[in-house]
Amino acid sequence: MTEEAAIILELRKENAQLRAENALLRQKIDLLVKRIFGSSSEVLSPDQLELLLGGNEAGPPWEKATPP
């Protein structure tokens, strides 16, 4: 094998490694973007829904207070 062929083979191996690393990093970025901006970031908790829908039948705390 000539020196040029060895260099070309080494560059092809390095290129394949860099492409694999690039693909992995892109997947990680996509996952982070989905976590930050995805629809799951806007999910309401059951506590928020209870407040919104008036699940507390006794009324809000300020209505329970007796005047001084």
Side-chain angles (χ1 to χ4, degrees):
M1 180 183 297
T2 65
E3 185 179 341
E4 290 175 352
I7 291 172
I8 290 172
L9 183 61
E10 185 64 32
L11 288 174
R12 285 183 178 163
K13 287 180 184 177
E14 187 177 346
N15 187 15
Q17 289 174 342
L18 290 173
R19 286 180 183 264
E21 183 180 2
N22 187 337
L24 178 63
L25 292 172
R26 286 181 182 272
Q27 288 175 350
K28 288 182 177 184
I29 289 172
D30 289 342
L31 179 63
L32 289 172
V33 167
K34 285 179 184 177
R35 268 193 200 164
I36 293 172
F37 300 109
S39 61
S40 64
S41 67
E42 298 178 11
V43 173
L44 293 175
S45 74
D47 294 335
Q48 290 173 316
L49 287 174
E50 186 175 331
L51 286 173
L52 179 66
L53 299 175
N56 187 357
E57 292 157 8
W62 60 85
E63 289 179 357
K64 294 180 193 175
T66 56

